[in-house]
Amino acid sequence: GGAPPGAKGGKAKGKMGPAQPTREEYQDWVGKCQVKLHWARLLASEVEASLFSEDGGAEQDIDLESLAKHFENKVEDKVKKELVVEAPVATKTCLWAGTETMAPDKRQFQLSTMMKSWKPSDYVTRILSNLESLNLAAITQEDPFLLDKVGWTEKFEMLLIASQSFTKAEWDRLQEEGAETKYTWSSDVEGFFRRFKKIPQCTSRLKCLSFNLIIEHDINELAEQTSKVMQALEAIRSSTALPVALRKILCIGNHINAGNSRLCRADAFDVMATFEKGEMKDNILMYLRDVELDNDQLVEFKQLADTLRGWDPPTIPPKKDDIDKADLHNFQEESTVISQKLIGLEQDLKTLQVDLQAEKEAEIGDEERRAALEKQLQNLTSFLEAVGNHRRKINRIDMNISEMSDMVQDLLKRFAQKKLEIEPGTSDLRAGRILGFIGSFAQKLQMPERRQKRATSSSARITSGQGPAVARSKTTRN
């Protein structure tokens, strides 16, 4: 407490009057005055008959020197603590360089985010080991990959893109002595890429692995699509009930189109009200279902409808932006793209094979290194055989597309009595519209639920022998 600095002593020496404190001295004094010590004044009358008045109220002896040192040490500790907190923290340099669109720290954050999904760590370690030994097939045979094939295919693709974007200076900084103490460092990011870079031709090996996974995914997807279309076209072509129903519709149409010479008009004009309500088509199909087709034919339409479920009927009139999910032209284009990727992969693998063979022949004195290179060549040969299986699969898909093209043209010819073309010399291979139309047609000709129950019940009685017995009893009574 006390007076502020410069105010002690009353009058100042000389003619200038009392000396005024500086701003810093004044603020320091104000701060000290604001410290609350929570002392309270005690009067002698308030402490009578208490422990403080025992022994005549004599003061206890204390070691004043130790007490002074105790407070001095506390003050020194506080000063040291404040100095440590306020001391500037040394920052490390970011290893990654910035780009035109991304600062170095943002780029590091992006890489860190990408590598967070590379788990478990022991599988990541084996990935690097198998890349080094060129045992690429082993990478795709472990549980983490098998449980998420699509996810790991994308991870390898993103890793390839990232590694191809690194500059030579960045690769050099990763390999520097003591880089982990010089730059901002994470074992999952910078540490991973340092281990990755130590693998000979690391980017080329990763490229072969990534392209193989992408090609395998694309082939399986295209094979699944073409298989569904082939199955649907086969069901339509092998149906015996469908031609019967179509011919009956043609016959009904011819009768409606016929007329009487006396009236000079077709019979359809007599049912024009039904046409105008849009009910004629459904009425004809209901008539076919309830009168003209037997139970076996209706069951076949049920099976056909199930096979063609999911194919949308074409819009009438067709829209310009309609996309046919089973356009065989698109299938052919996708197959061509996959074949081109496959050629590129085979060339990369053979280039890698030539380089390894040359390195092996150059290692004359190091038998251990020669043995390691020989093992890599064997693994690469096995991988080339697996890529050969991709070639055989894509060839089978091409054959199926060609066969389906003939089936579509045959169906169009049967339905329209002529070969339809989009443009001169260009065949219409939009199979989806055929599958959608026939699928919608088959759904409306399914056996009604009540009729199906009666048919099932009747079949059960005949199987158990009740049907014929009842018939005989009726004949006897008659």
Side-chain angles (χ1 to χ4, degrees):
K8 291 182 179 180
K11 296 181 180 180
K13 297 179 181 179
K15 302 178 180 180
M16 300 300 296
Q20 298 298 318
T22 64
R23 181 181 297 275
E24 290 78 8
E25 289 174 336
Y26 182 79
Q27 292 296 334
D28 181 59
W29 174 79
V30 171
K32 289 180 179 178
C33 292
Q34 291 176 345
V35 176
K36 297 180 180 180
L37 300 177
H38 301 286
W39 290 100
R41 183 182 181 187
L42 289 177
L43 301 177
S45 59
E46 295 177 355
V47 294
E48 291 180 357
S50 68
L51 63 90
F52 296 104
S53 63
E54 293 178 0
D55 297 330
E59 292 184 357
Q60 297 293 320
D61 295 333
I62 59 173
D63 188 347
L64 295 178
E65 184 178 355
S66 299
L67 179 63
K69 289 182 178 180
H70 174 77
F71 282 104
E72 289 175 1
N73 292 336
K74 290 297 181 182
V75 172
E76 291 178 1
D77 291 343
K78 181 180 179 182
V79 172
K80 290 179 182 178
K81 183 177 181 182
E82 290 176 351
L83 289 175
V84 170
V85 172
E86 295 176 358
V89 179
T91 57
K92 296 180 180 180
T93 306
C94 182
L95 185 145
W96 311 103
T99 63
E100 293 181 359
T101 59
M102 193 176 299
D105 57 336
K106 295 293 183 182
R107 192 153 174 245
Q108 184 185 40
F109 177 77
Q110 187 183 59
L111 291 172
S112 177
T113 303
M114 180 184 75
M115 297 306 298
K116 279 182 180 179
S117 62
W118 282 66
K119 304 291 182 183
S121 58
D122 56 339
Y123 175 57
V124 176
T125 301
R126 290 193 296 274
I127 288 175
L128 295 175
S129 176
N130 287 322
L131 273 177
E132 186 172 8
S133 64
L134 264 177
N135 192 3
L136 304 182
I139 296 175
T140 62
Q141 293 171 358
E142 294 203 36
D143 288 341
F145 180 86
L146 296 175
L147 292 173
D148 187 15
K149 289 183 178 181
V150 176
W152 276 103
T153 299
E154 293 177 353
K155 290 175 189 178
F156 286 121
E157 184 179 6
M158 295 302 297
L159 179 63
L160 177 62
I161 294 172
S163 62
Q164 289 176 333
S165 70
F166 295 166
T167 63
K168 182 179 183 301
E170 289 171 333
W171 285 121
D172 291 341
R173 285 196 289 270
L174 280 168
Q175 304 303 317
E176 284 181 12
E177 187 85 19
E180 60 273 16
T181 58
K182 183 177 179 181
Y183 303 104
T184 51
W185 195 270
S186 168
S187 59
D188 294 334
V189 183
E190 288 80 7
F192 172 86
F193 285 110
R194 168 186 271 184
R195 289 179 290 163
F196 174 70
K197 184 58 178 176
K198 290 181 178 179
I199 300 173
Q201 300 173 310
C202 55
T203 306
S204 298
R205 298 178 184 221
L206 177 62
K207 180 181 177 183
C208 291
L209 173 64
S210 178
F211 274 37
N212 176 69
L213 294 175
I214 293 173
I215 290 171
E216 183 177 1
H217 173 269
D218 292 346
I219 287 177
N220 291 337
E221 194 173 65
L222 183 58
E224 182 179 0
Q225 292 173 346
T226 54
S227 177
K228 289 180 179 179
V229 177
M230 174 71 82
Q231 182 182 4
L233 291 174
E234 285 283 3
I236 293 175
R237 189 169 66 172
S238 61
S239 173
T240 57
L242 180 60
V244 173
L246 293 178
R247 286 196 293 269
K248 287 181 178 291
I249 290 177
L250 176 62
C251 183
I252 293 173
N254 289 336
H255 281 288
I256 292 177
N257 196 46
N260 192 303
S261 56
R262 181 176 60 83
L263 297 176
C264 296
R265 67 181 185 185
D267 291 341
F269 284 95
D270 295 329
V271 289
M272 184 60 70
T274 305
F275 274 113
E276 291 174 351
K277 292 179 181 179
E279 299 173 352
M280 176 58 76
K281 179 178 69 173
D282 290 339
N283 285 337
I284 292 176
L285 293 179
M286 291 173 63
Y287 169 78
L288 278 177
R289 183 192 66 188
D290 297 337
V291 178
E292 295 293 337
L293 300 177
D294 58 32
N295 289 347
D296 292 339
Q297 291 168 332
L298 297 181
V299 169
E300 185 179 331
F301 273 116
K302 172 67 168 61
Q303 296 171 347
L304 186 60
D306 292 340
T307 302
L308 301 179
R309 194 176 306 279
W311 298 101
D312 298 326
T315 56
I316 301 175
K319 299 178 181 179
K320 292 183 179 180
D321 57 348
D322 281 350
I323 298 176
D324 196 311
K325 295 184 295 184
D327 191 334
L328 302 185
H329 282 302
N330 293 340
F331 289 166
Q332 289 173 339
E333 292 176 359
E334 291 177 25
S335 176
T336 301
V337 171
I338 294 174
S339 296
Q340 292 172 348
K341 291 181 181 179
L342 198 53
I343 292 173
L345 174 60
E346 291 170 335
Q347 290 175 347
D348 290 340
L349 289 171
K350 289 178 181 178
T351 300
L352 191 58
Q353 189 178 40
V354 171
D355 292 342
L356 287 173
Q357 187 64 41
E359 186 179 355
K360 177 189 171 185
E361 293 174 357
E363 296 286 350
I364 299 176
D366 193 342
E367 292 300 325
E368 183 177 354
R369 179 58 181 164
R370 285 175 61 88
L373 291 170
E374 178 60 30
K375 182 62 177 177
Q376 292 182 40
L377 285 168
Q378 292 175 2
N379 290 334
L380 188 58
T381 301
S382 300
F383 195 71
L384 275 167
E385 293 176 358
V387 172
N389 290 332
H390 296 337
R391 173 65 61 190
R392 287 185 283 274
K393 287 181 181 179
I394 202 67
N395 289 339
R396 285 197 294 270
I397 290 175
D398 287 338
M399 293 176 59
N400 289 339
I401 293 175
S402 177
E403 183 179 352
M404 287 189 291
S405 299
D406 294 338
M407 293 171 66
V408 169
Q409 290 299 313
D410 179 63
L411 288 174
L412 289 174
K413 184 178 180 180
R414 291 174 63 190
F415 292 156
Q417 297 299 311
K418 65 179 180 178
K419 185 174 182 180
L420 301 181
E421 294 183 343
I422 305 175
E423 298 176 359
T426 304
S427 300
D428 186 354
L429 299 180
R430 293 174 295 172
R433 61 175 187 162
I434 299 176
L435 304 181
F437 172 76
I438 300 299
S440 175
F441 182 76
Q443 287 179 8
K444 294 178 179 179
L445 291 180
Q446 297 180 67
M447 184 184 298
E449 186 175 350
R450 289 178 295 178
R451 183 172 170 182
Q452 187 174 1
K453 289 181 179 179
R454 290 197 301 268
T456 303
S457 176
S458 175
S459 176
R461 287 197 303 271
I462 294 175
T463 303
S464 62
Q466 297 178 6
V470 173
R472 283 194 299 270
S473 63
K474 287 182 179 181
T475 305
T476 304
R477 284 197 301 270
N478 292 333

